[in-house]
Amino acid sequence: MLRPKVPTNPMPTGLVTPPAVIEPTTVIQPPAALAPAPVPARPTVQLTPGAVIALVGGGTAVVLVVGAVLVSMLLAVAITGASLAICALVIRSLITADAKRR
């Protein structure tokens, strides 16, 4: 029915372009800096015991919510698959019962 057609390549013409000549270029290094720029001191983050408890509680809540969402999605897929399997069995039994009557 559907047969692929293999494309035919035309014959080469014999005209060949010469390869481009690549000449090497020199890399000029900029003069080295005399002294590195001073890095501004960044303030360190200090966590209080209350902040640590809040971070642990927030992380736990996020893990629980994401876990509940993933479990509910898995359950939805499982229920959908089971219902489709039951529908397929019912339709198959109806078709075979109809074929036996004739």
Side-chain angles (χ1 to χ4, degrees):
M1 187 172 126
L2 298 175
R3 294 182 184 228
K5 294 182 180 178
V6 179
T8 57
N9 293 330
M11 296 297 291
T13 59
L15 298 175
V16 179
T17 58
V21 178
I22 300 173
E23 296 181 11
T25 58
T26 58
V27 177
I28 300 172
Q29 295 283 339
L34 298 176
V39 177
R42 296 178 64 186
T44 58
V45 177
Q46 296 179 353
L47 294 176
T48 62
V52 171
I53 292 174
L55 284 175
V56 170
T60 304
V62 168
V63 167
L64 290 176
V65 168
V66 170
V69 168
L70 291 177
V71 167
S72 64
M73 289 172 61
L74 179 66
L75 192 60
V77 169
I79 291 172
T80 304
S83 64
L84 284 176
I86 291 171
C87 288
L89 289 175
V90 168
I91 291 173
R92 189 177 76 175
S93 68
L94 289 174
I95 290 173
T96 55
D98 188 42
K100 287 181 181 178
R101 285 187 213 168
R102 293 180 185 195

